[in-house]
Amino acid sequence: MNIDLIPAPVRAGDQGRCGFLLDASTTLAAAPGTGTTERWLRETLGAAFGVPLAPGGEGAEHSVRLLIDPALEPEEYRLTTLPGNSVVITGGSPAGVFWGAQTLRQLLGPQAFRRAPAGGAAPAALGFTDIEDRPRFGWRGMMLDVSRHFLPKADVLRYLDLLAAHKLNVFHFHLTDDQGWRVEIKRYPRLTEVGAWRSRTKYGHRASELWDETPHGGYYTQDDIREIVAYAAEQHIRVVPEIDIPGHSQAAISAYPELGNTDVVDTAALTVWDTWGVNPNVLAPTDHTLRFFEGVFEEILELFPAATSPFVHIGGDECPKDQWKQSPAAQARIKELGLAGEDELQSWFIRHFDNWLTARGRRLIGWDEILEGGLADGAAVSSWRGYAGGIAAAEAGHDVVMCPEQQVYLDHRQHGGPDEPMPIGYVRTLEDVYRFEPVPPALGEEAARHVLGAQANVWTEVMQNRSRVDYQVFPRLAAFAEVAWSALPAPADRDFAEFEGRMATHYGRLDALGVDYRPPGGPLPWQRRPGVLGRPIEGAPPNV
Ligand code: ACM
């Protein structure tokens, strides 16, 4: 039997006599604590096969049984078929049970990924199966940038489904940037009244001459956010909200001009940015700015509870220091605080929010620039400019999420051919992502323990809608998921051909889910964007 699981499990035995048949008589016996998976199985398998999965007793034949065994690691599970057409999933915690159920769905074939039976409710079968599985990393993430292009709530919920289907458990939600503020903050309504939309948008790379003259925007109400967070929790996904400061802040400054360096630029004349790149309009290092963002974070902490959002991301990337150099007010601040210069001013800014978040029981995480001028105590780092920041941080005892742009930025083109839509950055194929190694060999054993895991990042400058996001993300997210979950050998020893063989089945699952992935043979005609300038680069950062 070829079970073609992605990500690959630790061990899968398929010898034996008893299989499992899912049909209208199959019951679902859910032990206490397994309610999320019970609901999810009814919603997904119940709908796909048109079966009720009625509640059943533990010893019943024809059943799916869900159990918790605390002797297993929290995200570990066992999935075993039993005599009597039954299957039992035992997890070390509710999360482990849920990952086991995701495996069951894959085992039941691509039709298990549909919302209703295609061609009549049919029974689904699996042969004898005995799977033992656990993740390599506790942080298996994807970052989605909903600022550059807004993704409606329904698309965000769908992405949570897609993460869960690949056993990914962290959703890094990039909610603010120069091009749009996407979360309702009750005490500052202009953040969304003004900051959530722009009148036009650069179409393609910033050097492109094309503009999309359609107004673009959107934001999530606080109830939308609560729904997204609750939906993620149902799927055992933690959400890391990101409010990017002190750079990438033009949308906020255009809503509240006093947040900017008013002694350097006429911030009242700024609008939400309509093009791409690193923006010079950064926050002013004033007490007013600190109080303002404390107000923002107060609402963020309320929307993203500690249980499912222990980490809060404060960005910290790409903050040009030019305005601080020119600003008498910023220079006076540097003097008053006894700082060595603008880098230390950035560090002071980050430390302020590190202390503020720590006092409220949360942990700060930021892009690796937060290392400049001294890393805040207890802060964790998203290492994006390669491995170096992550290595330095881990060696200094800080926790790290590895997401180097050279390997796992999914906005980068996935083929060197002329048909890639709006090609940006490096060529990073499915195989390249499959050979990504989150723990660089240079790290000693002690420092390596600080690598919490890995994350694929999806920046959406050239992704105007869900379909474009799908194209960039898939199939590469499947390879990334296997890297983050499965205990793969060293990159050069990974059997990519074997993975590709399993992908043949996985494409059928993605088809059933309606994912607009890049086909192995290249983009379909309607996935191309002829004439829209990208910025293909060999060997240099893309800096879109
Ligand atoms: C980043 O890509 N600027 C984190």
Side-chain angles (χ1 to χ4, degrees):
M1 184 179 66
N2 183 0
I3 60 177
D4 287 349
L5 291 171
I6 289 184
V10 169
R11 188 184 63 77
D14 58 4
Q15 308 296 309
R17 7 172 223 101
C18 50
F20 166 67
L21 182 77
L22 178 77
D23 63 19
S25 69
T26 304
T27 58
L28 181 56
T34 64
T36 51
T37 301
E38 181 186 20
R39 284 190 287 281
W40 182 85
L41 282 172
R42 281 210 183 91
E43 276 163 28
T44 54
L45 297 189
F49 294 106
V51 297
L53 288 170
E58 218 187 278
E61 302 216 326
H62 278 260
S63 70
V64 177
R65 291 175 219 168
L66 308 178
L67 298 172
I68 291 183
D69 177 358
L72 301 179
E73 291 171 21
E75 292 196 287
E76 183 174 359
Y77 70 89
R78 291 286 300 261
L79 183 153
T80 312
T81 50
L82 299 175
N85 266 323
S86 295
V87 62
V88 60
I89 298 170
T90 308
S93 75
V97 178
F98 185 69
W99 304 133
Q102 290 287 352
T103 293
L104 176 63
R105 188 193 201 184
Q106 289 200 3
L107 292 170
L108 289 170
Q111 66 271 26
F113 290 79
R114 295 194 180 272
R115 300 261 186 105
L126 42 139
F128 174 83
T129 312
D130 181 26
I131 290 172
E132 183 189 331
D133 201 10
R134 73 190 76 86
R136 178 179 176 198
F137 294 109
W139 185 302
R140 306 178 301 279
M142 190 187 95
M143 187 220 72
L144 187 62
D145 165 17
V146 293
S147 173
R148 272 53 177 272
H149 283 100
F150 178 67
L151 266 199
K153 182 191 74 176
D155 292 336
V156 173
L157 297 174
R158 172 179 173 276
Y159 257 87
L160 292 171
D161 291 336
L162 292 171
L163 295 193
H166 292 83
K167 299 189 175 75
L168 297 173
N169 68 345
V170 175
F171 177 57
H172 175 165
F173 205 7
H174 183 80
L175 285 164
T176 71
D177 216 300
D178 300 303
Q179 294 85 355
W181 183 282
R182 305 289 177 219
V183 51
E184 178 188 25
I185 300 295
K186 298 270 192 203
R187 72 189 78 182
Y188 306 128
R190 284 174 61 82
L191 285 172
T192 42
E193 284 167 12
V194 173
W197 71 281
R198 54 185 186 253
S199 56
R200 65 170 191 170
T201 301
K202 176 63 66 180
Y203 195 51
H205 182 258
R206 68 173 181 278
S208 157
E209 301 203 329
L210 302 175
W211 293 94
D212 182 343
E213 298 288 349
T214 317
H216 179 85
Y219 67 93
Y220 312 103
T221 66
Q222 295 208 341
D223 276 346
D224 290 341
I225 295 282
R226 289 189 185 95
E227 180 186 358
I228 288 167
V229 168
Y231 193 74
E234 278 284 302
Q235 310 220 54
H236 301 276
I237 295 171
R238 300 196 299 273
V239 183
V240 179
E242 181 182 353
I243 303 294
D244 202 344
I245 53 173
H248 288 283
S249 293
Q250 185 162 317
I253 296 168
S254 68
Y256 292 95
E258 68 274 18
L259 295 173
N261 293 287
T262 53
D263 54 351
V264 178
V265 281
D266 177 10
T267 55
L270 291 175
T271 55
V272 174
W273 212 21
D274 54 13
T275 187
W276 321 121
V278 176
N279 188 307
N281 295 304
V282 305
L283 297 177
T286 60
D287 286 337
H288 173 74
T289 302
L290 296 183
R291 298 293 92 72
F292 183 97
F293 276 91
E294 286 170 3
V296 170
F297 281 115
E298 272 175 25
E299 295 192 29
I300 291 292
L301 295 197
E302 195 266 315
L303 292 171
F304 297 88
T308 46
S309 297
F311 283 94
V312 174
H313 208 291
I314 49 74
D317 58 322
E318 298 177 318
C319 177
K321 307 297 186 301
D322 305 346
Q323 291 188 352
W324 290 352
K325 284 194 177 118
Q326 290 165 27
S327 158
Q331 290 302 315
R333 191 69 165 180
I334 288 172
K335 217 162 155 199
E336 170 204 328
L337 294 167
L339 303 175
E342 293 78 23
D343 278 352
E344 284 198 7
L345 191 57
Q346 152 126 354
S347 167
W348 163 82
F349 207 100
I350 301 299
R351 272 178 202 276
H352 175 84
F353 285 100
D354 186 37
N355 291 333
W356 192 92
L357 288 168
T358 303
R360 286 156 185 80
R362 306 297 178 100
R363 290 188 62 192
L364 176 146
I365 184 165
W367 301 109
D368 56 62
E369 286 95 329
I370 68 170
L371 290 159
E372 290 163 11
L375 181 57
D377 299 337
V381 167
S382 306
S383 188
W384 75 276
R385 295 177 299 176
Y387 288 109
I391 292 173
E395 284 176 347
H398 293 278
D399 287 339
V400 171
V401 175
M402 284 294 186
C403 49
E405 62 172 340
Q406 294 84 352
Q407 272 85 9
V408 284
Y409 266 35
L410 300 184
D411 47 332
H412 292 199
R413 60 199 168 128
Q414 45 200 326
H415 193 273
D419 289 336
E420 286 310 299
M422 305 187 192
I424 295 289
Y426 307 106
V427 175
R428 289 298 175 256
T429 63
L430 182 65
E431 178 166 0
D432 291 330
V433 173
Y434 193 63
R435 296 192 193 282
F436 163 58
E437 173 49 47
V439 181
L443 269 188
E445 210 175 294
E446 172 65 28
R449 273 198 281 276
H450 286 291
V451 178
L452 300 177
Q455 192 170 284
N457 293 339
V458 183
W459 301 101
T460 56
E461 288 94 336
V462 297
M463 299 172 216
Q464 289 75 17
N465 52 40
R466 180 195 63 67
S467 176
R468 279 286 297 126
V469 174
D470 277 7
Y471 181 90
Q472 295 301 130
V473 170
F474 290 99
R476 292 182 294 182
L477 195 72
F480 174 80
E482 183 145 312
V483 166
W485 176 280
S486 308
L488 295 178
D493 300 330
R494 293 179 190 169
D495 188 347
F496 179 68
E498 188 274 339
F499 173 76
E500 259 190 320
R502 281 182 284 127
M503 277 304 294
T505 300
H506 201 64
Y507 284 119
R509 298 177 190 132
L510 297 180
D511 284 330
L513 284 166
V515 175
D516 293 324
Y517 56 83
R518 180 189 189 279
L524 300 165
W526 57 90
Q527 292 176 317
R528 297 174 196 154
R529 294 292 180 274
V532 185
L533 193 67
R535 194 179 184 221
I537 296 177
E538 281 310 329
N543 189 17
V544 173

